Amino acid sequence: MQTYSSVRLRLLGWVARRFGGKTGPVSFDGSLSMLPDSSLFPLFRDGLDPVPEVGKLREQSPVSRLPIPLGIRVWLATGYEPVRAVLGSTDGFSNDFGRFAAQIGLTAAAEPGGLGMTDPPMHTRLRRLVTPEFTMRRLARLQPRIETIVSDRLDAMARIDGPVDLLQEFALPVPALTICELLGVPYADRALVQEFSAARFDLGGGAYAPLDAINESKAYLRGLVADQRRNPGDGLIGALIRDHGDELGDQELAALADGVLTGGLETSASMLALGALVLMTQPELAEPLRSGEPADALVEELLRYLTVVQVAFPRFAVHDLEVAGVPIKAGDIIMCSLSGADRDGVLGPGMDRIDVGRPTGRSHLAFGHGLHRCVGAELARMELRTAYPALVRRFPAMRPAVDPADLPMRRASIVFGLDALPVTLEPLTP
């Protein structure tokens, strides 16, 4: 779970200003179009696969220079071993927001907070506070609620006449409502929080609409933290206040909660929707779930195959070093293609296809690796292991309502996903 959205929008805005020679505000819509596809290709997909250029580059040079025309040195790691090396480095690379904020015109007020853009010792302190709430033992209390949420959403889908948007009716609400349960959001506010969560990834309302949604979300969470200071609830916010209230200010606690909300929604929603698409288009994968087999192996293979977080947040070289024999200078930026690394042949043969029986001796990187590995990985697994079997058992004849090739997919996004997934639930009329 990492806080990508607000920083991503600001980064892209800065890119647009620099590349376009503008001094005033630039719309988000223009920022991507101002960069050449040769710079953005790690964020593209060919259907559900990384574009062929990623694989070709991985074979030729697993660490290579990205052609970004900004006078800065940016590298792309596409090989499994180099990506693990970069993400696992504790002294060679930094995620610290303060190291690059001044370069892109951001101020301290734009600090995203949370775990994703901090280094030790701050990261160590925050992760130590949050991690106990994400152990399997503590998360087990959520399993009955996840099952209820999934069942309720399936019931709601069944009441809809005609095609159903699986993204809006199932893939988004399941993680959003689960996170509300985890955080301790009052039941009456959950529809509002779900709206915030969905709006922050919707660019249809204009370039800065997501930023407005993020600001509204943070304002709400600051108010929730203030309320729970007086009367701590049973969720994550209340637990942190009871156990560590003197160590966390309201702003810091709200930022942590927003990071959980942000990272746990978009990634899980994308996995639920894309995984459901795979199960519909490769129905042989769904049959074992219908017969009661555990979903664990399928979930892990879908996580690897889809790797919806395509690129890890940029790392900044702290000093001169080498990655896979390539010299990296202090201050250089290195991007890690998680989707490319998870298709690397060093993991085994046939990595461009789904093989549920694949040996799992080497871990996929769908949740990242090292210091910043997703703290909510087990929660995401719980949601997927619950949702996929329930979905295919409830609607065994479910199929895409349009040609899968015509589904609206995000063209260039750190988190790959669908913008809609219309499905037909009932079998064809004879």
Side-chain angles (χ1 to χ4, degrees), residues 169-353:
E169 299 297 333
F170 187 76
L172 277 168
V174 167
L177 294 173
T178 299
I179 291 168
C180 284
E181 191 77 27
L182 173 71
L183 291 175
V185 172
Y187 189 83
D189 294 347
R190 294 186 180 189
L192 179 65
V193 171
Q194 187 176 331
E195 289 177 12
F196 290 153
S197 302
R200 70 198 304 152
F201 304 116
D202 179 12
L203 298 177
Y208 295 99
L211 293 179
D212 292 339
I214 290 165
N215 290 333
E216 290 176 0
S217 175
K218 286 188 174 181
Y220 168 80
L221 290 169
R222 285 193 297 271
L224 181 59
V225 167
D227 289 344
Q228 296 211 17
R229 287 278 185 194
R230 296 185 289 271
N231 183 25
D234 295 330
L236 173 64
I237 294 173
L240 289 174
I241 287 172
R242 279 192 301 272
D243 298 341
H244 307 286
D246 294 339
E247 303 174 54
L248 288 165
D250 286 6
Q251 182 70 27
E252 194 171 39
L253 186 50
L256 279 172
D258 188 68
V260 171
L261 179 66
T262 304
L265 173 74
E266 188 182 19
T267 52
S268 293
S270 290
M271 271 302 304
L272 281 171
L274 291 168
L277 177 61
V278 169
L279 294 175
M280 286 185 284
T281 55
Q282 301 185 47
E284 69 279 4
L285 297 173
E287 284 305 319
L289 301 183
R290 294 194 187 101
S291 63
E293 288 191 21
D296 303 46
L298 174 63
V299 165
E300 293 307 310
E301 181 66 351
L302 286 175
L303 284 165
R304 179 203 65 81
Y305 178 77
L306 294 169
T307 309
V308 297
V309 180
Q310 304 198 87
V311 179
F313 205 84
R315 265 59 173 178
F316 299 83
V318 176
H319 52 76
D320 291 356
L321 45 75
E322 287 190 358
V323 178
V326 176
I328 309 294
K329 295 181 179 295
D332 284 4
I333 299 171
I334 187 162
M335 310 292 293
C336 291
S337 172
L338 303 181
S339 57
D342 274 343
R343 300 293 186 94
D344 195 333
V346 302
L347 293 170
M351 301 308 291
D352 285 327
R353 58 181 173 80

Side-chain angles (χ1 to χ4, degrees), residues 27-285:
S27 73
F28 177 80
D29 290 338
S31 63
L32 287 180
S33 64
M34 299 174 84
L35 281 175
D37 283 358
S38 59
S39 299
L40 296 174
F41 75 90
L43 302 182
F44 295 159
R45 292 272 177 138
D46 181 8
L48 299 182
D49 299 322
V51 292
E53 289 85 347
V54 172
K56 291 175 183 176
L57 192 61
R58 185 180 59 231
E59 297 305 315
Q60 294 168 1
S61 177
V63 177
S64 53
R65 184 87 176 265
L66 263 183
I68 293 184
L70 300 172
I72 56 176
R73 289 165 55 93
V74 180
W75 300 87
L76 178 69
T78 50
Y80 181 84
E81 296 296 353
V83 167
R84 274 181 60 95
V86 172
L87 299 184
S89 174
T90 57
D91 57 2
F93 295 95
S94 170
N95 278 54
D96 185 5
F97 180 87
R99 286 185 180 269
F100 66 93
Q103 298 179 42
I104 60 176
L106 298 180
T107 65
E111 166 65 61
L115 294 169
M117 299 194 68
T118 56
D119 286 346
M122 180 181 291
H123 178 274
T124 306
R125 178 178 73 87
L126 294 177
R127 188 145 185 142
R128 175 179 58 83
L129 300 180
V130 172
T131 297
E133 296 300 315
F134 288 92
T135 62
M136 285 302 295
R137 182 179 64 83
R138 296 290 283 271
L139 289 174
R141 74 188 191 279
L142 288 177
Q143 183 63 43
R145 283 296 302 142
I146 295 174
E147 292 172 1
T148 299
I149 289 167
V150 167
S151 179
D152 288 347
R153 294 315 307 164
L154 294 175
D155 289 344
M157 288 170 59
R159 291 192 292 267
I160 298 174
D161 293 328
V164 175
D165 186 347
L166 188 70
L167 180 68
Q168 293 297 327
E169 299 297 333
F170 187 76
L172 277 168
V174 167
L177 294 173
T178 299
I179 291 168
C180 284
E181 191 77 27
L182 173 71
L183 291 175
V185 172
Y187 189 83
D189 294 347
R190 294 186 180 189
L192 179 65
V193 171
Q194 187 176 331
E195 289 177 12
F196 290 153
S197 302
R200 70 198 304 152
F201 304 116
D202 179 12
L203 298 177
Y208 295 99
L211 293 179
D212 292 339
I214 290 165
N215 290 333
E216 290 176 0
S217 175
K218 286 188 174 181
Y220 168 80
L221 290 169
R222 285 193 297 271
L224 181 59
V225 167
D227 289 344
Q228 296 211 17
R229 287 278 185 194
R230 296 185 289 271
N231 183 25
D234 295 330
L236 173 64
I237 294 173
L240 289 174
I241 287 172
R242 279 192 301 272
D243 298 341
H244 307 286
D246 294 339
E247 303 174 54
L248 288 165
D250 286 6
Q251 182 70 27
E252 194 171 39
L253 186 50
L256 279 172
D258 188 68
V260 171
L261 179 66
T262 304
L265 173 74
E266 188 182 19
T267 52
S268 293
S270 290
M271 271 302 304
L272 281 171
L274 291 168
L277 177 61
V278 169
L279 294 175
M280 286 185 284
T281 55
Q282 301 185 47
E284 69 279 4
L285 297 173

